Amino acid sequence: MKKMILIVAAISLLATAASAQKSIRVPHGYAAMIEQENTFHFSGSQTSIALSMTHGAYYSDNVYVGLGFGLEGNDDYTILPVFAATRYIFNGHAKVSPMFTARLGSYVGDDLGAYGEAGFGLRFASPSKFAFALSLVGKYVSGLEYCDYSSSSVCTVKENSLSGVGIRFSIEW
């Protein structure tokens, strides 16, 4: 009899706990993201760090479109990218869902140039209006000017394009 009471109590607790869980928020309307990224560039052994913020809206359970700005740099350069961003979430109802991201725009620094990124990753949703994501992105920045002192002590201005792979951590609310 005691076993039966314990089994019924355990089943009751499990049923109560299962019914108390909230469903995952399906994205809709306004959303903002703050993102931190470390990029490993293909040219040389340099890396860069970026911090960006994007504001936009979900137009469906899967599609986010927004505008963003950021700050990116290392010892050799500092730029302020301004971009249009999009994100496609493959299953907005799931706690963990694959996603695709893309950014296209320009940057302001010592000069102007093109800025673009594309990536994929995982989005981890919570029952509240909060999620975080981890992605792997490919990046291209064109038109960076730098000083070349290789032939003399005089600065020779040259143009360089950077490309690389980055790891991005995003917080969405």
Side-chain angles (χ1 to χ4, degrees), residues 150-173:
S150 61
S151 59
S152 67
S153 62
V154 178
C155 173
T156 304
V157 176
K158 293 189 175 182
E159 190 173 299
N160 188 18
S161 295
L162 290 177
S163 56
V165 174
I167 298 171
R168 179 184 298 150
F169 177 74
S170 307
I171 297 174
E172 173 187 332
W173 67 94

Side-chain angles (χ1 to χ4, degrees), residues 3-152:
K3 275 187 175 180
M4 188 62 128
I5 292 173
L6 286 175
I7 292 173
V8 169
I11 291 173
S12 299
L13 285 173
L14 286 174
T16 304
S19 66
Q21 290 182 356
K22 296 179 183 177
S23 62
I24 296 302
R25 177 187 74 91
V26 176
H28 65 281
Y30 171 79
M33 296 173 208
I34 189 163
E35 300 170 316
Q36 191 275 329
E37 179 180 325
N38 293 343
T39 303
F40 307 95
H41 298 285
F42 297 136
S43 59
S45 61
Q46 60 181 321
T47 61
S48 64
I49 296 174
L51 185 63
S52 62
M53 181 169 249
T54 307
H55 295 273
Y58 278 96
Y59 289 100
S60 71
D61 295 349
N62 305 83
V63 179
Y64 173 85
V65 177
L67 297 174
F69 60 93
L71 175 64
E72 179 178 337
N74 62 15
D75 293 340
D76 297 333
Y77 74 97
T78 302
I79 60 172
L80 301 167
V82 179
F83 52 85
T86 186
R87 178 181 274 193
Y88 182 82
I89 299 170
F90 289 93
N91 185 359
H93 299 276
K95 287 183 180 181
V96 179
S97 177
M99 66 176 191
F100 173 78
T101 63
R103 291 179 174 178
L104 191 58
S106 184
Y107 66 85
V108 178
D110 293 335
D111 43 356
L112 293 171
Y115 179 86
E117 294 183 354
F120 63 92
L122 292 175
R123 179 180 181 267
F124 302 89
S126 72
S128 62
K129 190 177 179 179
F130 173 80
F132 70 92
L134 191 60
S135 0
L136 185 65
V137 296
K139 178 181 286 190
Y140 181 75
V141 179
S142 73
L144 288 172
E145 292 181 356
Y146 69 98
C147 286
D148 183 16
Y149 295 103
S150 61
S151 59
S152 67

